[in-house]
Amino acid sequence: MNIVMIGAGYVGLTTGACLARLGHLVTCIEADPRRLLPLRAGEIPIYEPGLSDLVHACRQTGNLQFADPDTPALPEADVVMIAVGTPSDDDGDIDLRQVHAAARHIAPRLRSGAVVAIKSTVVAGTARGVAEIIAEVRGKNDIPVVSNPEFLREGSALADFLRADRVVVGADDERAAKVMEDLYAPLTTQGVPYVRTGTVDAELIKYAANACLALRIGFVNELADLCEAAGGDIRAVSHGMGMDNRIGPRFLQAGPGFGGSCFPKDTRAYAATGRRLGVRQTVVESLIAANETRKEALAQRIVDALSGRRRARVAVLGLAFKAGTDDVRDSAALTIIPALQAAGIQVVAHDPKARDQAAPHLPGTELADCPYAAAEGADAIVILTEWEDYRRLDLTRLARRMKGTQVFDYRNLLCPDRAARAGLTCIGIGRPAPGKDAQQATGAAPAQPRTHHGTRWVEVAASPS
Ligand code: UGA
């Protein structure tokens, strides 16, 4: 099929490349020449594992092209996907101007019967609004508009597309639904489940899924505070809890609060939609507040621990909002670092991938080339992103570089015993304070998660996200 993707940002580019990989002919339209020219020259503007190779392979087969908005591919398209930005406005609601502008641009150029699919994350009712705009511009109602939300995670987007848990298509029109079924046939014939709903349902599924996942994280983060207060260990508690099939083990990793381009923005939009429609979503509203407060509270812990030290210096390891990406949008580092600096602490930071993206947001922050250089003369270290490089740090080498001994491990990456052997005090999340384990506090079973396989008890790693 001929596909035109409006927008070659994160979603447009990864989705476009994956559809080309499935055998479709895809043209990604990019209006900004500063992005289009590098793309045409083979440069990929984002870090996503495997994407660069996939784009190059699909360009070689001729299945993927990049074009400006006047491309002749538009009148040839069977499906036009809109994957433009939907930034938040001041109330948390999303700004649909780019979606509407894209609709006005494509409306006079489409052949009758082409299908428009909205990939951007948009609030309930947007597909119907876009259909009205297109019908008004064309003077007739011959272009169905469907909702086709994406469920890609940064860092594993290609696998999330090609081995998706499900494809969701919201179509109020039967012919459009059939076109979308054909589009995804290369996945569904491989066993990927296909969910057909109305447009409003599909729009709500996207927000509901992200809000629900964010709620799990908000819950486990608060539970981590409870573990600390009670002398428990969040890794053991979430492991035991996640073994209930109805709960499951994923997305139960306590950390410094969720970030990224999706959860913070989508939960705000979800709550704003509830307010606009007169059905307050109080659970999600509390989650948003708790997530912000968490980042501030975790910064305050460090400030309190270093109070009394003149010209304290802290090394922050990890600027990306999670491992596997160079994205720093709403990352914990962007709240915690300014809070430390406001308390007079000097900050030096490191990230293996996100340094360039983070630099403009962190004025006054020194950026180091490696974690050991960042640790030089530091009173404390703070780990904010779960990069594998940090899990494998040579702690003795790190300790030798530092002035102090405290490591605030806000991703629970390090083994506290290993840190102690290197002379470091590891302060994790939701774990007993150093020198006091859960057994001492409660007299309960050991905190390290273990599970029973056959006749043996074995140690189990903390559940993956
Ligand atoms: C998220 C969803 O997981 C995707 O399904 C969705 O398609 C995407 O948003 C989107 O709407 O486009 P993403 O933002 O890439 O994907 O990142 P996640 O892996 O979901 O992580 C989000 C945040 O939660 C990160 O800050 C991460 O560190 C945090 N997190 C995640 C935890 O703190 N604990 C966990 O157990 C899992």
Side-chain angles (χ1 to χ4, degrees):
M1 288 170 90
N2 286 324
I3 316 293
V4 169
M5 182 71 66
I6 312 284
Y10 184 81
V11 171
L13 192 56
T14 46
T15 308
C18 287
L19 287 169
R21 155 91 167 64
L22 297 184
H24 298 300
L25 296 177
V26 180
T27 305
C28 285
I29 293 186
E30 177 53 60
D32 184 349
R34 284 166 307 176
R35 282 179 75 90
L36 179 60
L37 294 177
L39 281 168
R40 280 181 160 161
E43 288 167 34
I44 307 302
I46 49 172
Y47 171 71
E48 177 62 37
L51 181 61
S52 185
D53 289 348
L54 183 61
V55 168
H56 289 134
C58 292
R59 289 188 79 204
Q60 284 198 327
T61 60
N63 280 15
L64 181 63
Q65 293 181 6
F66 297 104
D68 62 42
D70 291 325
T71 173
L74 261 177
E76 304 283 315
D78 300 305
V79 177
V80 176
M81 295 188 151
I82 298 181
V84 295
T86 50
S88 278
D89 67 18
D90 291 343
D91 298 333
D93 221 331
I94 57 165
D95 177 347
L96 288 171
R97 273 179 295 186
Q98 291 181 51
V99 174
H100 291 162
R104 284 195 193 88
H105 175 78
I106 59 176
R109 295 171 168 83
L110 299 179
R111 66 170 179 77
S112 188
V115 173
V116 171
I118 302 188
K119 268 275 161 215
S120 306
T121 298
V122 291
V123 288
T126 303
R128 288 180 184 169
V130 167
E132 282 169 21
I133 290 173
I134 293 176
E136 193 188 309
V137 173
R138 290 173 72 84
K140 55 184 172 182
N141 189 1
D142 61 340
I143 304 288
V145 178
V146 305
S147 163
N148 177 210
E150 55 83 19
F151 300 98
L152 312 177
R153 281 165 303 170
E154 292 187 25
S156 55
L158 304 191
D160 286 347
F161 186 99
L162 297 166
R163 294 192 292 279
D165 286 351
R166 78 299 203 194
V167 169
V168 173
V169 170
D172 300 329
D173 172 282
E174 290 312 312
R175 199 190 58 79
K178 175 76 181 67
V179 170
M180 295 303 286
E181 257 176 55
D182 292 346
L183 176 74
Y184 283 107
L187 289 183
T188 51
T189 51
Q190 299 297 315
V192 171
Y194 185 87
V195 181
R196 154 85 197 278
T197 65
T199 53
V200 169
D201 295 334
E203 288 161 339
L204 287 172
I205 286 171
K206 169 69 191 186
Y207 278 110
N210 273 2
C212 188
L213 290 166
L215 278 164
R216 280 175 77 97
I217 300 166
F219 172 76
V220 86
N221 283 341
E222 245 176 29
L223 179 61
D225 291 345
L226 194 58
C227 287
E228 282 170 26
D233 186 328
I234 188 64
R235 294 162 304 166
V237 176
S238 56
H239 175 68
M241 189 175 83
M243 286 180 78
D244 184 324
N245 273 333
R246 293 166 302 174
I247 297 173
R250 299 169 74 194
F251 268 68
L252 288 179
Q253 298 270 22
F258 58 77
S261 63
C262 304
F263 285 178
K265 170 171 159 287
D266 293 353
T267 46
R268 283 197 293 268
Y270 180 96
T273 304
R275 284 195 297 274
R276 185 162 40 78
L277 298 178
V279 277
R280 291 285 292 262
Q281 298 296 298
T282 52
V283 174
V284 171
E285 285 185 4
S286 319
L287 168 73
I288 296 165
N291 196 54
E292 274 314 303
T293 313
R294 177 164 188 80
K295 294 174 188 171
E296 289 152 18
L298 291 182
Q300 191 58 43
R301 273 187 201 185
I302 304 161
V303 172
D304 291 346
L306 296 180
S307 69
R309 281 201 215 170
R310 288 191 62 236
R311 298 223 199 110
R313 183 176 166 90
V314 164
V316 170
L317 303 186
L319 301 170
F321 78 94
K322 65 172 185 178
T325 177
D326 60 356
D327 196 339
V328 298
R329 284 176 285 181
D330 263 307
S331 80
L334 297 196
T335 302
I336 291 178
I337 290 177
L340 298 180
Q341 289 168 331
I345 295 171
Q346 192 190 352
V347 178
V348 51
H350 170 265
D351 190 286
K353 288 275 182 269
R355 179 193 171 114
D356 293 347
Q357 310 285 346
H361 303 281
L362 294 172
T365 306
E366 226 179 284
L367 294 168
D369 289 336
C370 77
Y372 304 102
E376 193 70 54
D379 293 285
I381 285 180
V382 186
I383 299 177
L384 293 182
T385 312
E386 71 281 24
W387 289 109
E388 273 306 307
D389 298 8
Y390 298 156
R391 202 189 298 277
R392 290 197 296 261
L393 280 170
D394 177 342
L395 297 181
T396 309
R397 187 174 160 204
L398 201 70
R400 268 205 299 268
R401 298 277 191 120
M402 292 174 65
K403 195 158 90 193
T405 57
Q406 286 170 314
V407 179
F408 293 87
D409 180 7
Y410 287 167
R411 292 286 186 172
N412 284 342
L413 278 192
L414 306 182
C415 164
D417 290 344
R418 195 164 71 86
R421 284 196 295 276
L424 296 172
T425 306
C426 184
I427 302 141
I429 294 270
R431 297 195 303 212
K436 180 180 158 207
D437 68 19
Q439 227 173 337
Q440 285 170 332
T442 63
Q448 191 61 16
R450 304 181 336 150
T451 200
H452 190 235
H453 287 307
T455 55
R456 283 183 314 124
W457 285 95
V458 292
E459 300 279 317
V460 177
S463 24
S465 60

